[in-house]
C-alpha cells in the first residue's frame, strides 16, 4: 500500500492538543482516532443509503464523462474517507476498459488505509495522499499529483465540513481546462429527528479520546442561516462543561473550567439554489449536470472550469 504523507501523525497530534487548548476542534479530528472512524461508519451505514442510486447513476455516466481523457484516467478524491462512494466510479471506469489511477486524499490514516486497500482489491492502481485539504497548499500539491485532465471528486458533503465560500474557491483553483469535478452538497431541511444518538456519539468521540465523559457536560446543536450567502445554513455543535476538567494531551496539561464551551466541528448545508449559485457565481465553475438524490437530501453537480 502506497501513501504519500504531507501531514504527519505527529503534526495532527500536536494540532489536536493546540485545538483543545483553543476550545475549537476542526473537522479532521472527527475521523482521526479509530473510535471516531467506527462511529462515523455507523452513521454512514444507516443514513447514506439514499445516495446509493445517485452513485449508481453517476457511475453509469463515468465512462462517458471522461471519454475525452486520452490514456489513463486520474481520479483524485478530496476527503475520500474510506472511498466507498468513489469505488462505484472506479469500478465503472475499470469495467469500461479504462486504465485508472486513484488518488484518495484525506487527513485520516485510518480512512486512507481503507480506501487504498479496497481499491487494490478492485485491481485499481492507487496512491493515497495524507494531506490537510483545508490548506490551499496541500490541496494544490495533491491535485498536481497528476497532469490534467483529471476527474476530481469531493463528495459526502465534505465541502460542508469547511467554510464552503473559501473551500470551493480553493478547489476550483486546482481545476485546469479539461478537468471535471463531481461535488455534492447536503440539502438544508428542518429536521426533527436530528441529532440522532449516533451523531451525538460521533461528535463526542474526540472528547472521549482524552477521557472526557458525557457526565462532564452537555452537547448543544444549533442551525442558523449564514448571512454571507443566500441558501447557506450552518449547523454548529458545542460542548459545555458541567465541571472543571483537567486533560492531558501530547504532554500538555489543559485546564477547562466549568461552564466553558468547546466548539466542535460544524456542518454547512445548502438550498438547491444556494448550492448552484455558490458553484457558479462564487467559484466561477460551469455546471454540466446536476443530479439530485432520490430522496432529495443531496445534490451532486458535475462541474468544469
Ligand atoms: C464527510 S466525510 C466524507 C467522506 C467520503 N467522501 C464519503 O463520502 O463517504 C469527510 C472526509 O474528509 C476528511 N477530512 C476532514 N477534514 C479534513 C482535512 N482538513 N484534510 C483532509 N481530509 C479531511 C475526513 O477524514 C473524512 O474522511
Amino acid at each position: 500500500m502506497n501513501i504519500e504523507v504531507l501531514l504527519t501523525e505527529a503534526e495532527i497530534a500536536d494540532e489536536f492538543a493546540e485545538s483543545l487548548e483553543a476550545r475549537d476542534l476542526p473537522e479532521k479530528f472527527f475521523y482521526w482516532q479509530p473510535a471516531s472512524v467506527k462511529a462515523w461508519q455507523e452513521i454512514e451505514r444507516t443514513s447514506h443509503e439514499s445516495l446509493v442510486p445517485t452513485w449508481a447513476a453517476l457511475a453509469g455516466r463515468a465512462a462517458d464523462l471522461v471519454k475525452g481523457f486520452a490514456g489513463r484516467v486520474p481520479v483524485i478524491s478530496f476527503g475520500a474517507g474510506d472511498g466507498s462512494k468513489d469505488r462505484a466510479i472506479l469500478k465503472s471506469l475499470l469495467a469500461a476498459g479504462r486504465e485508472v489511477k486513484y488518488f484518495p486524499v484525506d487527513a485520516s490514516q485510518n480512512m486512507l488505509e481503507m480506501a487504498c486497500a479496497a481499491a487494490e482489491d478492485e485491481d485499481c492502481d492507487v496512491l493515497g495522499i495524507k494531506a490537510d485539504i483545508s490548506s490551499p497548499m496541500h490541496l494544490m500539491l495533491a491535485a498536481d499529483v497528476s497532469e490534467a485532465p483529471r476527474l476530481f471528486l469531493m463528495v459526502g458533503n465534505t465541502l460542508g465540513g469547511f467554510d464552503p465560500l473559501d473551500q470551493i474557491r480553493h478547489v476550483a483553483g486546482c481545476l485546469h481546462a479539461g478537468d471535471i469535478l463531481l461535488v455534492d452538497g447536503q440539502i438544508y431541511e428542518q429536521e426533527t429527528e436530528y441529532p440522532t444518538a449516533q451523531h451525538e456519539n460521533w461528535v463526542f468521540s474526540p472528547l472521549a479520546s482524552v477521557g472526557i465523559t458525557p457526565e462532564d457536560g452537555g452537547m448543544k446543536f444549533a442551525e442558523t442561516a449564514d448571512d454571507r450567502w443566500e441558501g447557506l445554513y450552518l449547523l454548529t455543535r458545542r460542548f459545555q462543561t458541567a465541571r472543571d476538567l483537567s486533560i492531558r494531551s501530547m504532554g500538555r496539561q489543559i485546564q477547562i473550567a466549568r461552564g466553558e464551551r468547546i466548539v466542535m466541528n460544524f456542518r454547512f448545508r445548502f438550498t438547491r439554489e444556494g448550492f448552484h449559485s455558490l458553484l457558479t457565481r462564487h467559484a466561477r465553475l460551469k455546471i454540466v449536470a446536476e443530479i439530485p438524490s432520490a430522496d432529495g437530501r443531496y445534490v451532486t453537480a458535475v462541474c468544469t472550469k
Side-chain angles (χ1 to χ4, degrees), residues 9 12-13 16 28-34 36-37 107-108 110:
E9 283 299 283
I12 299 177
F16 180 68
K28 63 171 161 288
F29 299 120
F30 294 77
Y31 309 85
W32 180 36
Q33 305 281 353
S36 294
V37 171
S108 164
N110 201 327

Side-chain angles (χ1 to χ4, degrees), residues 182-290:
L182 297 186
V183 58
D184 70 9
Q186 193 175 358
I187 298 301
Y188 170 72
E189 55 192 330
Q190 280 178 318
E191 290 157 319
T192 45
E193 82 276 19
Y194 195 82
T196 61
Q198 281 177 326
H199 276 101
E200 288 202 3
N201 184 35
W202 170 59
V203 172
F204 192 75
S205 62
L207 299 181
S209 76
V210 288
I212 298 178
T213 68
E215 292 70 43
D216 288 329
M219 193 74 76
K220 279 218 171 66
F221 286 56
E223 189 157 35
T224 49
D226 186 329
D227 296 339
R228 297 172 306 158
W229 198 264
E230 179 83 36
L232 195 56
Y233 290 83
L234 173 61
L235 173 70
T236 54
R237 298 125 170 178
R238 289 196 165 80
F239 182 76
Q240 185 163 22
T241 53
R243 52 175 86 131
D244 294 347
L245 301 178
S246 184
I247 299 158
R248 212 164 162 74
S249 180
M250 286 301 280
R252 302 175 199 218
Q253 201 67 43
I254 302 164
Q255 311 295 344
I256 303 181
R258 175 172 179 257
E260 281 199 63
R261 290 195 184 92
I262 303 174
V263 178
M264 310 302 283
N265 65 341
F266 53 80
R267 191 61 89 231
F268 279 92
R269 300 194 293 176
F270 314 84
T271 61
R272 279 268 319 247
E273 300 71 29
F275 188 65
H276 185 100
S277 64
L278 184 80
L279 298 178
T280 52
R281 267 200 296 122
H282 180 71
R284 304 266 168 224
L285 290 165
K286 291 190 192 105
I287 297 184
V288 179
E290 251 180 290

